[in-house]
Amino acid sequence: MPLKRSTRRTLGRAALYAVLLGVVLLLVLTADWATIRANFFAPAGIGNPFVGDWGTWPDLITVGVKNTLIYTAVAFAVGLALGVVLALMRLSPVAAYRWLATAYIEFFRGLPVLLVVLVMAFGIPIAFQGWTPPGGTVGAGVVGLILVAGAYMAETIRAGIQAVPKGQTEAARSLGMSAGRTTVTVVLPQAFRIVIPPLTNEFVLLIKDTALLFVIGFAADQRELTTIARDFMASSDTAGTSTSLIQASVLYLLITLPLTRLVSWLERKQQKAR
Amino acid sequence: MTDTTFATNPTAPAIEIRDLHKSFGSNEVLKGIDFHVDNSEVVCVIGPSGSGKSTLLRCVNRLEEPDSGQILVEGVDIIDPETDLDAVRSRIGMVFQQFNLFPHMSVLRNLTVAQEKVKKRSKKEAVEVARANLEKVGLGGREDAYPAHLSGGQQQRVAIARALSMDPDMMLFDEPTSALDPELVGDVLEVMKTLASEGMTMMVVTHEMGFAREVGDKLVFMDGGVILEEGDPREVLAAPQHERTQAFLSKVL
C-alpha cells in the first residue's frame, strides 16, 4: 500500500535528522577530548571564574582588546574624514579632483591591506631615515589602515550622497543656499543616515584588519589582540597550545557579532522606513 | 545682509524671458520662448506633459541651465555670470511637485534654516517669521512635527510656508497639486488663492483649470516647446483659438 503524502514527508524529515544525529554522535564518541581540552582550552588560560581564577583573560583584555579598539577607533575616525573628502572630490565639478579621487580609491582598493601596512611601517621609515612617523611604527601601521579604509569608505559615502534625492538639492538651492551650504546642511546629514549600516560594516572589517598590524612587532603594552594571543602561544601559562588564539577568537566575536546584528537591524529599519 | 550685489529695477516686469532655447541632448524642449510676468500677476502655464512648461519654470531660477536666450528677473539678467544667483534665488520662492521638504529637519527647522543661513536672520526673528507663515497656511502648532508624519497636502503647505519665510518677491509653482490625493488638493489651492489675493506675483505650472480660471490673470498654453496661445484665462478656456489648445482642453475639461 503506498504511503500517504504527509507520512512520506515526515519519514523523510526523520531520516535527515537521523543522519545528523549519527554524524554528531560519531564525532563526539571518536574525538580525543582530553587532547582537545589540553591544546585548545588549557585550564591555565581559560581559568575558572567560580573559584576566582581568571586565567590569562585579564592580560588579553586590558592590553589586547583595549589596543585593538583604540587602533580601530583612530583608523575609523580618520578614515571616515578622508572618505568624506574623497567622496566630495569624486563628485566635484572640477575634473582634476574627480580623477585624483578616482585614482586614489582604485589604487588602494586594489592592494592587499597587509602590503600597504608594510610599506607604511617599514618602507617609508627606511626611505626617509631619521623621520619617525607619528605614533612610531604602530602609528605608521595605523596610517596604512587609514589609507585603505578611507578608499573604501569614500565609495560608500559617495553612494550615500548620490542616494539623496535631487529634489533636496534643488529645494535648498532655490532657497538661495550656496552649493557648499547645501552639501553641509541638507545633503551630508541625509547621506550619513543612509550609510550608517555600511559604515558599521566597515568598522567591523577594520576591527579584523587591525590583526594585520601583527607584522609590525610591538612594544609589550602596544600589542593588539592577535599579537598578544600569538605571543601567549610562545610564552605564557598556555604556551605551546592554541588556547590564547581561541580566547582571542571569543573576544573578537564578542565585539563583532553584536555589531553585525546591529547592522542587519538598522538595515531592516531603513527598509521599513522607505 | 543687503543685496548690494545687483540692483533690481522696480519698473521692470517680475519675469521677462526672451527667445529662450533649451535642449536635453538632441531633444529640444524649449524652442524660442518669449514670455513675461508682471508684478502682482498670476500666470498659469498649462499644456500636455513634455510640452516644456516645467522646464520653462525651472529656467526662471536657473535650476535648468538655458542654452540661449535672456531671462530677466526684476530687470536683472540672471544668466550673466556676474549676477549673484543665490541672492536672486532667495527672492524667488519655489514650490515643487514632490514638496522636497528636508526630511531630517522638523517643520520649524525647515522654515528657519534658510532664513538663518541665507538671509542671516537671528534665530528669534526666523522663528517668528516661520510661525506666522505656518499660521497662514493653516498649520500653526505643527512646528515640531517631521515631514514624514504629515499628509501630502500638509507637506505641500509647509513647503509653501518655507518659501514664504524668505519674503520672496515672487513664487514659482511646479505642478504643486499633481502629487496629492484629490481630497487634499483643495487646501493647497486655498493657500495659493490667498497668496494671489494678497498681490503675490505667481507663475504656476498646473493642471488645475478651475484654479487658472478663478485666480489666474493670464493663461499660457504650451505644446512642443513653444507657446501656442496666451490670454485671459476665462477667454482661452471658453474659446481656445488654436486647434491644439482645443484638443488639449477637450481632454482635460
Side-chain angles (χ1 to χ4, degrees), chain A residues 35-55:
Chain A
T35 307
I36 289 174
R37 180 168 165 75
N39 282 286
F40 295 96
F41 304 96
I46 304 289
N48 183 353
F50 298 109
V51 298
D53 173 12
W54 299 100

Side-chain angles (χ1 to χ4, degrees), chain A residues 68-89:
Chain A
T68 287
L69 288 180
I70 290 173
Y71 301 153
T72 307
V74 171
F76 185 79
V78 184
L80 182 62
L82 178 63
V84 170
V85 171
L86 285 168
L88 291 175
M89 282 172 70

Side-chain angles (χ1 to χ4, degrees), chain B residues 202-248:
Chain B
M202 293 163 64
M203 177 174 171
V204 187
V205 170
T206 187
H207 295 292
E208 295 290 333
M209 301 305 156
F211 177 84
R213 185 184 293 118
E214 198 180 328
V215 183
D217 297 310
K218 187 164 79 176
L219 184 69
V220 171
F221 175 73
M222 281 183 73
D223 194 8
V226 293
I227 291 176
L228 285 181
E229 189 164 351
E230 61 179 293
D232 183 279
R234 285 147 290 265
E235 287 169 17
V236 173
L237 290 171
Q241 300 300 307
H242 199 285
E243 92 188 57
R244 270 194 279 175
T245 319
Q246 292 162 1
F248 175 74

Side-chain angles (χ1 to χ4, degrees), chain A residues 24 39-40 44 91 96 110 116 118 121 142 145 155 170 172 180 191 219 233 248 256 262 271:
Chain A
V24 170
N39 282 286
F40 295 96
L91 299 170
V116 178
L118 284 171
V142 173
L145 294 181
E155 281 300 87
E170 291 181 349
M233 285 181 78
T256 55
L262 178 69
Q271 215 84 75

Side-chain angles (χ1 to χ4, degrees), chain B residues 146-163:
Chain B
Y146 277 79
H149 297 134
L150 301 177
S151 73
Q154 291 172 327
Q155 287 191 52
Q156 192 60 300
R157 284 184 283 154
V158 171
I160 293 172
R162 176 174 70 178

Side-chain angles (χ1 to χ4, degrees), chain A residues 103-183:
Chain A
Y104 178 96
I105 291 165
E106 295 304 324
F107 182 82
F108 280 105
R109 289 204 310 174
L111 292 178
V113 186
L114 182 55
L115 187 137
V116 178
V117 168
L118 284 171
V119 170
M120 292 312 298
F122 301 121
I124 303 270
I126 288 170
F128 303 100
Q129 296 281 342
W131 175 78
T132 44
T137 317
V138 181
V142 173
V143 169
L145 294 181
I146 288 170
L147 293 177
V148 178
Y152 279 98
M153 286 197 256
E155 281 300 87
T156 306
I157 294 164
R158 179 187 59 82
I161 290 173
Q162 289 181 323
V164 175
K166 196 161 148 269
Q168 290 292 309
T169 308
E170 291 181 349
R173 298 307 303 273
S174 77
L175 288 163
M177 290 191 202
S178 65
R181 166 58 64 193
T182 300
T183 304

